[in-house]
Amino acid sequence: MAKVISTLFISADGVAEIDPDWHFPYFDDNMGRAVSEDYDAADVLLLGRETYDSFAGAWPGRETAGGDDAPFAKQLGDLRKVVVSRQSREFPWRNSELLDGDLLKVVAALRNDTTIGGVLIPGSISVVQQLLAAGLVDELRLLVHPVAARKGRRLFDDGDAPYHLRVTTTEVFPTGVIRVVYAPVETPAPAGYDEAKEQLPAGE
């Protein structure tokens, strides 16, 4: 079964709609390594329309320019890219295709495809929110910046039930950025104060 992985730059107050003013000051070689590890594990990129347009508007030109980021740009170009959009459209960036059918059904099929090891969702907040609600995200890979953005779209929207998560990996970078990987887990057994108070330190 392929892993469906969401990778996001996020602020300490949960804003996942990045602003270059608070993001780029914290981008160092450690973050670059983390990003590379995420993409190295991917066979397919699943992109929302806005994220696709942003990527397609930048990376093909960077590949052609042949600068320091050209190898990464080529890696992105070579990957299969499935774009979530309600509009039929042309895709000039190679290996790009429109998602054909219902998002949840297509992602479930990708997840069950034995020829695919990983489906990576960079950014694309609305896509991630839909897949989280459907239980189709296997990992949340967050790069938490030490800044309260105070404005912008948050990853976790309002809903009826909480998402319970298990931490599988953490790493703290010298910049203060925390790399944390979460995996969804089942809802824990009910508990209240009576259970919690048993964990309080005993008095002298």
Side-chain angles (χ1 to χ4, degrees), residues 52-163:
Y52 176 83
D53 287 343
S54 175
F55 277 32
W59 290 111
R62 291 170 182 168
E63 181 180 354
T64 302
D68 292 341
D69 54 0
F72 182 64
K74 181 181 184 303
Q75 180 182 4
L76 294 183
D78 289 343
L79 282 169
R80 178 186 175 191
K81 292 168 282 292
V82 179
V83 185
V84 183
S85 175
R86 294 185 179 90
Q87 300 174 345
S88 180
R89 51 183 296 179
E90 296 295 323
F91 298 108
W93 196 14
R94 69 182 185 278
N95 298 321
S96 300
E97 63 192 72
L98 183 67
L99 181 135
D100 183 14
D102 175 76
L103 171 64
L104 303 185
K105 291 180 180 178
V106 169
V107 172
L110 289 171
R111 203 173 178 220
N112 289 319
D113 189 332
T114 57
T115 67
I116 296 173
V119 178
L120 186 68
I121 314 165
S124 308
I125 301 169
S126 63
V127 173
V128 175
Q129 289 174 339
Q130 292 177 70
L131 297 181
L132 275 172
L136 290 173
V137 174
D138 297 296
E139 286 186 357
L140 281 172
R141 298 186 180 184
L142 306 181
L143 289 160
V144 186
H145 295 49
V147 58
R150 303 184 65 197
K151 63 179 180 179
R153 191 172 182 187
R154 287 170 167 76
L155 170 59
F156 298 109
D157 54 357
D158 291 339
D160 297 328
Y163 294 125

Side-chain angles (χ1 to χ4, degrees), residues 9-80:
F9 304 121
I10 193 167
S11 69
D13 57 342
V15 173
E17 181 183 0
I18 65 168
D19 184 328
D21 288 342
W22 62 253
H23 167 57
F24 283 117
Y26 295 101
F27 201 107
D28 66 353
D29 58 343
N30 294 287
M31 192 180 290
R33 169 180 52 80
V35 169
S36 293
E37 289 175 2
D38 291 344
Y39 282 87
D40 287 345
D43 298 300
V44 178
L45 296 185
L46 181 66
L47 303 161
R49 179 185 56 80
E50 292 182 7
T51 302
Y52 176 83
D53 287 343
S54 175
F55 277 32
W59 290 111
R62 291 170 182 168
E63 181 180 354
T64 302
D68 292 341
D69 54 0
F72 182 64
K74 181 181 184 303
Q75 180 182 4
L76 294 183
D78 289 343
L79 282 169
R80 178 186 175 191

